[in-house]
Amino acid sequence: MLIKCPWCGDRALQEFSYQGDATVARPPEPADPADANWDDEWYQFVYLRDDPKGWHDEVWHHIQGCRKHFKARRHTVTHVIADTAPMSEELKGGDK
Amino acid sequence: MKKYSVFSLARNALDYHENWTEAWRSPEPKPEYDVIIVGGGGHGLATAYYLAKEHGITNVAVIEKGWLGGGNVARNTTIVRSNYQLEGNAFFYEKGMDLWRSMSQDLNYNVMFSSRGVINLAHNDAQVDAFQRRGNTMRLNGIDAEWLTVAEIKKRAPLLNTENMRYPVYGGLCQPKGGTARHDAVAWGYARAADDRGVDMIQNCEVTGMRIENGKILGVETTKGFIGAKKVGVAVAGHSSQVFQMAGMRLPMETHVLQAMVSEPIKPALDTVITSGAAHCYISQSDKGEMVFGGDIDFYNSYAQRGNYPIIEHVVTAMCELFPAFSRLRLMRTWGGVMDMSMDGTPIIDKTPIDSLYINAGWCYGGFKATPASGWCFAHTIAQDQPHDLNSAFRLNRFETGHTLDEKGVGSTPNMH
Amino acid sequence: MVEMTERVSALAAIYETGTFGNDVDGGPSVTLHERRPLSIVHIAGNSDDQAFAGGVGKACGCALPIEPGTIATAGELSLIWLAPTRWLAVSPDQGPGILEAALRDACGESGAIIDVSHGRTVIRLSGAHARMVMMKGAPLDFHKSSFTPGRAAQSAISQCGTLITCPAEDTFDVYVFRGFGQHMWEWLTDAAGEFGYKVENPVS
Amino acid sequence: MSRSYRTAEGGRIDRSKPLSFTFDDVRYTGFQGDTLASALLANGVKLIARSFKYHRPRGIMSAGPEEPCGMVQLREGARTEPNIRATQVELFDGLVASSQNRWPSVKWDVNSINNLFNRMLPAGFYYKTFMWPKAMWMTYEEVIRHAAGMGRSADQPDPDRYEHMHAYCDVLVAGGGPAGLMAAKSAADSGARVILVDENPELGGYLRGRNQKVGAKSAMDWVASVHVELEAMENVTILSRTTVASYYDHNMLVLNEHTGDHLPTADGWTPRQRNWKVWAKQVVLATGSIERPLVFGNNDVPGVMLTNAIQAYANQYGVTPGRNAVVFTNNDSAYEAVLDMHDAGMRIAAVVDNRTIETAATKPVRERGIPVFHNHVVFNVRGNKHGVKGVEIMALNEAGDHVAGSIIKMDCDVVGMSGGWTPTVHLFSQSRGKLRWMEDITTFVPDVSFQQERSAGACKATWGLNSCLKEGAKAGAEAAKAAGFDTAKPVSSPKSSDDGMGEIRAMWRVPQPPHSHLKRFVDFQDDVAASDVELAIREGYTSIEHTKRYTTLGMGTDQGKTSNVNGLAIVSEELDKPIPEVGHTTFRPPYTAVTMGAITGTERGHHFSPTRRSALHEWHKQAGATFVPAGMWMRPQYYQQPGESMWDAIYRETLNVRTKVGMFDVSPLGKIDIQGPDSAEFLNRCYINGFGKLPVGKCRYGVMLREDGMVFDDGTTSRLSENHFMMTTTTAKAGPVLQHLEYLLDVIWPELNVHVVSVTEEWCGMAVAGPNSRELLARCTDADISNEGLPFMGVAEVDICGVPGRIYRISFSGELAYEVGVSSDWGPHVWSTLMEKGQDLGVAPYGTEAMSIMRIEKGHVVGAELNGRTTADDLGFGGMTSTKKAFIGQRSITKPAFLETDRKQLTGLKSVDGKTKIPRGAQIVADPKGRIPMEQLGEVTANCYSPNLKEFIGLAIVKGARDRKGDRLWAFSPLTKECCEVELCSPHMYDPEGERLRG
Ligand SMILES: Cc1cc2nc3c(=O)[nH]c(=O)nc-3n(C[C@H](O)[C@H](O)[C@H](O)COP(=O)(O)OP(=O)(O)OC[C@H]3O[C@@H](n4cnc5c(N)ncnc54)[C@H](O)[C@@H]3O)c2cc1C
Ligand SMILES: NC(=O)c1ccc[n+]([C@@H]2O[C@H](COP(=O)([O-])OP(=O)(O)OC[C@H]3O[C@@H](n4cnc5c(N)ncnc54)[C@H](O)[C@@H]3O)[C@@H](O)[C@H]2O)c1
Ligand SMILES: Cc1cc2nc3c(=O)[nH]c(=O)nc-3n(C[C@H](O)[C@H](O)[C@H](O)COP(=O)(O)O)c2cc1C
Ligand SMILES: [Zn+2]
């Protein structure tokens, strides 16, 4: 694969480290620590990821390059990458 | 079923083998079954076989979207062992070893299970410690394990490099009864034996939906139409996330691609199975002569049965470090399979929150060896509607309660398991 | 006082000048030397922050290069882009802590200034086949039309993270962590062997 | 040479350069430009090898990478290589080759007895037998394994050199035949960066073996002129002897260049092979096509060859593989070959054509008086290991499905077979392209592309030369255009002939007379005959994938280049299902097998992974240290002195620290510089314990968790100023921790203004430990390092030995100790100065072993305890865990499993009798004599003899250990047959109150 780091441009796969699902958000601290939902929310955050057969928004780390994390929208069957973007921006493209 | 033996082979030779019959039928699906097993891989087929054999449930269909045994069972490096550290795993895999030992005779199909020993190389002191801990656990659990010195390892694998290398070999943990088996034969043998007991093998039939009413499963939607079932067991390995999504379930699992490869066939040059965690490589020689080897997964989520080059380079490099003479062999073919990597590296065999729907998943890249035990336990779980003692640690809710079984100790990073 | 203490290079034990490798017609076509001693300072901060960007500019004598993979220079000092919020300032040794202090003085509380002068080994390759040697090592596009003077990129050679710059035509600087210095030197000279190579005395 | 099959003239070999070589110890001569195959054929050597299963005699069948039969063991000793296709070996002087898969010799092979029993050995026979008696299987297996395989592996390390190259280009052209050359030319003319790749030593592709014209020139003169032209262009790289092996995602391709295989040995710095990793914007596939065999009786006798191969041997190498040929075809392409063979002086006994109608191609052949039998087939070959003796020919019946009439017997010594052509679509398929079956020409062709590539020429089933040239030019221009060279256009191609293979009459199995059971081979390499495919179908292995695996069709080293289409067509006939519905098996990388060494490149032996050296490495070496790998680092394990054993040295070093002063190189510990206004807040969130109130000038031990609640890493972090911290990590986790922090800052808390930078290599770290450490340091610095000036867990910026540095008052050994940090280049100076100044204080270095003993004595945890399954509480850090702030992993530690009381907890161990060593890696059990399976209460994570406590001690994690102090259990290692009664104690076995380190 050739992955476009939003800063460094197209770079070889071996420069990157895969960091998983970009759609999971770390749940904010609950107002009430005794909140029962919180365990479930927490379980979901730690253990449940998007695992689609198709377009997937994910985090990559340009570990052998600029060492920045960024987002990529990649197809899990064809490995086509529709878009990459800094963490703060939205991904476009793909059929998602 | 026509019994296979050297006599039947000789008899048929006289007829130029024109009178053999099909190993399994290809029936059209019935409208309803007592049990439907989704996934015609090793686990699905074994489950169907043991449902029939151990529980007398024969009105069973195995539904396979492609060709039987075309998933991971067709593409794994065939290593069979039970050298686990954690209690929840050990006895399960050892049950598997028992079943492996008599599988050919039980199925009347030679699966070429070859007890040639599996050696884990230790490349530093910490690994010696860790492997000895594991070996001792195995022994105390009643599982065969031996510690081998470098000289003893050299004797079993004369071409192995132990000294002139970046990470020299300090010793190795050997499971003498571990080994390899002919992967395709395992699938075919179970299919033939299950067919013989009345199980329907439905190929080229993809499950596309689950019919669930009032929290109970009634059957599956497929490319050949709806098929009803009293119970449904799913054993689709790399497609677990996909199939359970049809039941509205999210699994603690990610799908990743693992590659394996073979060299050109050569005369016997390696008589045992060598694995090296430090070098990230495991290797054995098939009966046909190829060196069969693999290593790490590709690290990114993938449903493609094909990977990319960096891992191949990495695995081949490790292989040559272990066997510098094999540097002159040639890589003949590489391929990939997609794996259901669970969040703690351990499988799940359990009931689900949906009545009469059962799960068998999360095998990561170690489920081939589990094929018989998995089928046996899954059949029990389905038939009795509760897990057997042997798979009692493989619960679906263990992540919520914190009872994870993390052999590698890397936590909820599936691509590290 | 401190000037008296000589800095020992990571390559000290193996450095040997002379001509090595293949005996090729026309003599060696790659020249290598270690660049030392250097002052190297890692700079981190937000380029939109005037106090920071201005401070760095003032201390270095050139503006922060904002475009990825570029280098700004002022005399003997270069300011190399590493990441959207990171740069490396490199100059011949200015004395312990001098460049770091200048930057910190200029930037005040904004940004992070970290002296890493001793943490890197820098190897310069030049000559007609220097580019080929680089091509053996890193999965970057080293084509003449692409990796031009003034470009920098981070990548990996022989599994070691590297920063590679092109200070001039057919000239490359390879930065690695000091601990990998000797390995990288061995690797690069080995890769240059085919073309014949010359090792010169270290200069900054 | 009496039996020479070399023509008097012609061919592109250099007859002035004879080369001597041996095959099976017999010396022969060939010429520069020969392949091993052509040279063997020139010398009349027909029997080359024994087949895989039946050990049937086999010879050369092709002239290229598709060769399924003519494989040899090449070279000797450490350089020997199995399964090398003689058709691809360039001859060099002194070449040594031998036949393989035979014993004792290729002529007299014991296992050829298999052929007699071949009826017992149909596809999959081993699944049906060898099951009884059960215990015998391992013996049967042994026999099977020895009969299988082909050549043998070298038994010494590979002495050759391999390298890698990385390249980017606009257009990569795979294949240097007419189509590829035109594509490269058109693309290059537009200014695009072009890489042209061909597996052969010479460009030209199929033209090399033919007598063709391109425009007015002879084809190969034209090739030469294009070659010169391209070579002169700066934007073109030509890689010959290079195979495009694999095609990966995003147009990443791997090429395998044979830089030294044509040389006796690739010497010195020249690599034997070089693998290229290329990222191409666009790819043109011009990989040509491969001729198909026909499936008739005994079609594997040495001397039965692909027709184009005979033509190529005649034209290119000046070799006639026989004197008297029969050519069996189902299409026109063989006729051109027949003319060339005839021109080369061969007698053509007959052309046998299964088609009913004469085509224009027949005429020139007939004009030479060569008999042509239409509507006839060769159904059997007579011959043996000495080669073809003749053929048996019969007419076809009306339907064409049976032979009819009488048998015509004809003598000959070589048979050409031509079953049509198969486009080489391997790379196209690897790139995910979809194929389409074309019934009229009986081949799969590229249909829908997936990646940025296009096919041109014979690999797209374009057979005519003229069309190939045109198509190549067009593809090259289109590729350049797609790569952004807008003005690209096809260069004009010289006019050439456009003959193709005309009508083809598919005949997947050549019929045989009733009741005959001749072996008709489909896959020559794996000995798969038509009857095997039929059997597989009969037994229900009807998916093409099942057929493949059951029969091993296409699974040999040639990966079915000549057999796949014939095989699947037979399946189609047996199932009465059209070929597109049968489908094809998956084309997988590599195109032809690639040497492992080339994939490895330079990363071998000690370069398998880079070695990381501390600034003090040289000092340790000089001091006689034994090194031990720790990740990529090499660390001194101990410093053995003359007359000392390893353990003597280790105990001496340990005692020296406890009684005097020792120095240990801690440079490999991970060090992360943390700066920014939110640094303290960030650390608070990362560690279980608080860092907000840590005063400037102080260090604190911290423990980090993963989100799932398990301990991730530990280390001390110092506050250098309000917003400036220095974190240390374990050596093993230095990388993962940095990545973890970066992740948190980039992804989870981007709002925090914190910068983290690794400074591991900037700092040389030295632990100075022992009662004399303060005195020693005092001699080297003016700073106040008294207990008041620099109390336990204090940090100070100082001048030491004349250079600036830091002194941390921390202790891993448990003694009064300091960690000195100075910039790495000054490390050797500072270290040696300390060593010098401390002579009278008894200063001595210590290594990882002594360190390890002292950490066990003190109960400090390392990797074995931080096994990813232990919680902070398990390890005794429960009290440190803050309840006042949120931190990574906090929410997980209240899960039920974390609160269970029988969790395994850290404990110290002492050998009860004081004499028995606690076995390494032992399990903790209540009664070692108990029954197996036995309950295991815990496990030993560390063990040693403590020279200070003068007893055997250890650490373990044991169920509920904190409440079991004083309990006696057993540390049992059945693996090593060791057992030791142990008493559970506090892990802090040495100086439990910490008086020494605070002193
Ligand atoms: C390269 C590689 C190497 C490996 N090496 C080893 C090893 O050495 N030792 C070891 O123990 N394990 C190994 N494994 C793991 C092992 O192969 C798997 O864990 C195991 O085979 C999985 O079980 P299975 O055989 O049932 O899976 P599969 O064979 O994958 O069966 C699942 C089946 O479900 C079918 N399916 C999926 N979705 C649907 C649907 N919607 N409808 C109908 N059917 C569906 C699939 O087509 C497939 O046939 C390896 C795996 C790979 C990929
Ligand atoms: N008369 C007929 O019916 C008939 C049939 C087929 C081909 N042909 C002739 O064959 C020629 C076809 O021209 P073309 O240029 O398309 O093909 P070609 O066969 O001339 O050239 C293809 C080249 O690509 C090389 N190659 C293939 N795969 C490769 C790989 N993976 N890596 C590196 N090199 C690889 C081959 O060795 C060959 O040199 C024409 O002259 C055509 O007339 C004629
Ligand atoms: C243990 C094992 C041995 C194999 N040996 C061979 C072999 O000798 N020749 C071959 O072509 N493929 C071999 N394969 C690979 C298969 O051809 C095939 O690639 C694999 O089953 C994956 O299927 P696919 O490539 O059709 O997707 C082997 C596979 C396995 C699992
Ligand atoms: Zn980047």
Side-chain angles (χ1 to χ4, degrees), chain B residues 9 110, chain D residues 53 120-130 144 550:
Chain B
L9 190 64
N110 190 350
Chain D
K53 186 159 131 188
M120 278 293 283
L121 313 176
F125 70 95
Y126 30 81
Y127 301 133
K128 297 189 173 111
T129 180
F130 302 130
I144 294 178
Y550 193 64

Side-chain angles (χ1 to χ4, degrees), chain B residues 171-190:
Chain B
L173 178 65
C174 174
Q175 182 177 19
K177 291 182 187 158
T180 60
R182 170 91 184 112
H183 55 290
D184 291 328
V186 173
W188 300 339
Y190 272 118

